């Protein structure tokens, strides 16, 4: 019996390509031996949990961190598009290796709209590099449906493959219910520089400030200095007025434990710029996996998830009136918390679990490699 050889797929993360020059500049030689592992959340959501399922359940594929000197049937450039990546992609073409560009931010559309902090708007150099990767690669993996539509305009082969949540993170249900005698906990997590998004519902938070409290999971608040005025001052005043607890981000397992303590998750977004439109649903998928109900803006990926959930476990708000209606409903005491929280868990299990998403990933990789 002849065993079929597995197709080996290498992943490049955060623009780091193993080389003597790159390793010397960072005073390490480990990447030359074992490859350069990613450190961002994208590494987990778009490689680690996917590869675990692929390598265990897909007999014809093997995913690993890219290493020098190995033969690959395909490379995936994940959040990677600098000169080193472009050179590697071009070099691997001559070896018959298929190249995928995993696009997690809209670097393709010329940036427009209101940008709220220093570094929020993609640069022209980033746009040029992204376009070069799109042109030079065989296919693009778009991390959101919005990005998929953007990439399709470039007339390249593309597939939407969402972020995912590891199956063991997903609860079957949640028995938490709010205490009518205590303020309702509003959960939010993310980089501190993005706390300005709370200003999208500034008036709402002030209206309900005696009935809610904020629980924020984030990094150093020193990043607030990057937010432009007048939003920086407005945010500081808002946080000073609200009952607010701030927790440091100490990893995903710790984050899940915080979500297990209860509350609802909020994700207001300013949708008046090209950058915010392309985000994935991962920010809300993680708390929903633990049964937390979500109230959020009508960001495209959130709308996609809400449609899959049939509007249960999540409330998408297009304007101030809908935000107020959602809070009135939640604080009224009429909500069926068991139904809403179970629905939140189930939509993640049915559509965003790593075991589900990895199958779509494998199918697209096979399709490109075999054609």
């Amino acid at each position: 019996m002849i065993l079929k050889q597995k197709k080996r797929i290498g992943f490049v993360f955060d623009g780091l390509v193993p080389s003597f020059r790159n390793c010397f500049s960072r005073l390490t030689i480990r990447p030359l031996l074992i490859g350069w592992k990613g450190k961002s959340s994208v590494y987990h959501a778009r490689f680690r949990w996917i590869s675990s399922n692929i390598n265990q359940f897909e007999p014809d594929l093997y995913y690993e961190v890219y290493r020098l000197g190995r033969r690959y049937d395909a490379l995936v450039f994940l959040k990677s598009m600098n000169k080193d990546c472009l050179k590697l992609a071009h070099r691997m073409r001559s070896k018959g290796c298929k190249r995928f560009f995993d696009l997690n931010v809209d670097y393709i559309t010329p940036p427009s709209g209101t940008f709220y902090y220093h570094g929020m708007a993609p640069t022209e150099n980033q746009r040029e590099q992204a376009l070069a990767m799109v042109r030079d690669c065989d296919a693009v993996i778009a991390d959101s449906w919005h990005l998929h539509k953007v990439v399709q305009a470039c007339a390249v082969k593309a597939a939407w493959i969402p972020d995912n949540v590891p199956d063991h993170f997903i609860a079957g249900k949640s028995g938490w219910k709010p205490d009518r005698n205590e303020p309702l906990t509003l959960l939010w997590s993310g980089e501190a520089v993005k706390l300005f998004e709370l200003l999208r519902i500034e008036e709402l938070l002030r209206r309900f400030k005696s009935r809610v409290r904020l629980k924020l999971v984030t990094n150093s608040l020193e990043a607030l200095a990057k937010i432009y005025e007048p939003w920086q001052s407005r945010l500081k005043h808002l946080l000073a007025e609200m009952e607010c607890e701030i927790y440091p981000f100490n990893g995903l397992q710790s984050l899940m434990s915080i979500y297990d303590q209860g509350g609802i998750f909020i994700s207001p977004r300013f949708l008046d710029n090209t950058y915010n439109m392309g985000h994935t649903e991962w920010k809300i998928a993680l708390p929903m996996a633990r049964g937390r109900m979500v109230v959020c803006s009508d960001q495209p990926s959130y709308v996609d998830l809400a449609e899959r959930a049939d509007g249960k476990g999540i409330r998408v708000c297009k304007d101030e009136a809908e935000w107020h209606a959602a809070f009135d409903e939640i604080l009224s005491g009429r909500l069926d918390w068991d139904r809403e929280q179970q629905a939140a868990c189930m939509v993640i299990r049915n559509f965003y679990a790593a075991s589900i998403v990895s199958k779509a990933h494998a199918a697209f990789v096979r399709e490109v490699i075999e054609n």
Side-chain angles (χ1 to χ4, degrees), residues 146-185:
H146 178 84
L147 288 176
H148 182 260
K149 290 188 288 186
V150 169
V151 171
Q152 280 188 316
C154 299
V156 298
K157 190 174 187 63
W160 168 42
I161 300 175
D163 286 338
N164 65 94
V165 178
D167 292 59
H168 68 276
F169 275 15
I170 305 172
K173 59 181 180 178
S174 172
W176 176 84
K177 288 182 175 62
D179 184 339
R180 298 296 301 276
N181 299 316
E182 296 288 336
L184 176 67
T185 298

Side-chain angles (χ1 to χ4, degrees), residues 144-303:
S144 70
W145 183 245
H146 178 84
L147 288 176
H148 182 260
K149 290 188 288 186
V150 169
V151 171
Q152 280 188 316
C154 299
V156 298
K157 190 174 187 63
W160 168 42
I161 300 175
D163 286 338
N164 65 94
V165 178
D167 292 59
H168 68 276
F169 275 15
I170 305 172
K173 59 181 180 178
S174 172
W176 176 84
K177 288 182 175 62
D179 184 339
R180 298 296 301 276
N181 299 316
E182 296 288 336
L184 176 67
T185 298
L186 305 181
L187 295 156
W188 183 94
S189 68
E191 296 179 23
V193 74
K194 297 186 180 182
L195 277 165
F196 78 90
E197 302 279 15
L198 292 177
L199 296 174
R200 174 65 184 82
I201 55 170
E202 181 178 10
E203 186 274 331
L204 175 85
L205 291 174
R206 285 198 167 95
R207 174 189 166 187
F208 288 104
K209 68 180 181 181
S210 65
R211 302 182 65 186
V212 302
R213 61 182 168 215
L214 293 173
K215 182 182 282 191
L216 312 176
V217 184
T218 188
N219 54 354
S220 173
L221 294 185
E222 291 181 2
L224 299 187
K226 294 182 180 180
I227 301 174
Y228 299 137
E229 293 291 1
W231 303 290
Q232 181 184 145
S233 295
R234 281 172 52 189
L235 174 62
K236 289 179 178 178
H237 289 153
L238 176 64
L239 294 179
E241 289 182 38
M242 301 290 299
E243 182 181 346
C244 184
E245 300 172 275
I246 298 176
Y247 293 79
F249 176 74
N250 290 319
L252 291 170
Q253 201 66 56
S254 172
L255 183 64
M256 295 299 103
S257 297
I258 291 173
Y259 291 157
D260 285 342
Q261 295 168 18
I264 68 167
F265 190 88
I266 59 171
S267 187
R269 292 244 189 215
F270 286 98
L271 300 178
D272 53 357
N273 60 75
T274 50
Y275 175 76
N276 265 1
M277 295 296 288
H279 284 310
T280 75
E281 65 293 306
W282 205 53
K283 180 184 285 287
I284 65 172
L286 288 172
M288 290 182 78
R290 308 305 295 176
R292 302 284 64 80
M293 184 178 174
V294 166
V295 184
C296 57
S297 293
D298 56 330
Q299 199 269 350
S301 291
Y302 296 173
V303 173

Side-chain angles (χ1 to χ4, degrees), residues 48-63:
R48 184 181 164 206
W49 300 327
I50 290 284
S51 63
S52 178
N53 279 273
I54 295 288
N55 296 345
Q56 187 174 358
F57 300 113
E58 302 292 341
D60 60 329
L61 296 174
Y62 186 80
Y63 287 12

Side-chain angles (χ1 to χ4, degrees), residues 201 264-268 284 288 292-299 302-303 305-307 309-319 321-332 334-337 339-341 343-344:
I201 55 170
I264 68 167
F265 190 88
I266 59 171
S267 187
I284 65 172
M288 290 182 78
R292 302 284 64 80
M293 184 178 174
V294 166
V295 184
C296 57
S297 293
D298 56 330
Q299 199 269 350
Y302 296 173
V303 173
L305 188 152
E307 290 176 350
D310 196 25
K312 296 181 180 67
I314 181 171
R315 299 294 186 273
V316 174
C317 306
K318 297 190 291 291
D319 53 33
E322 293 190 1
W323 273 100
H324 279 80
F327 269 64
D328 284 335
E329 177 191 22
I330 290 167
L331 293 168
S332 69
R334 300 189 304 270
L335 205 67
D336 185 338
W337 286 97
R339 185 187 71 163
E340 297 289 345
Q341 293 180 142

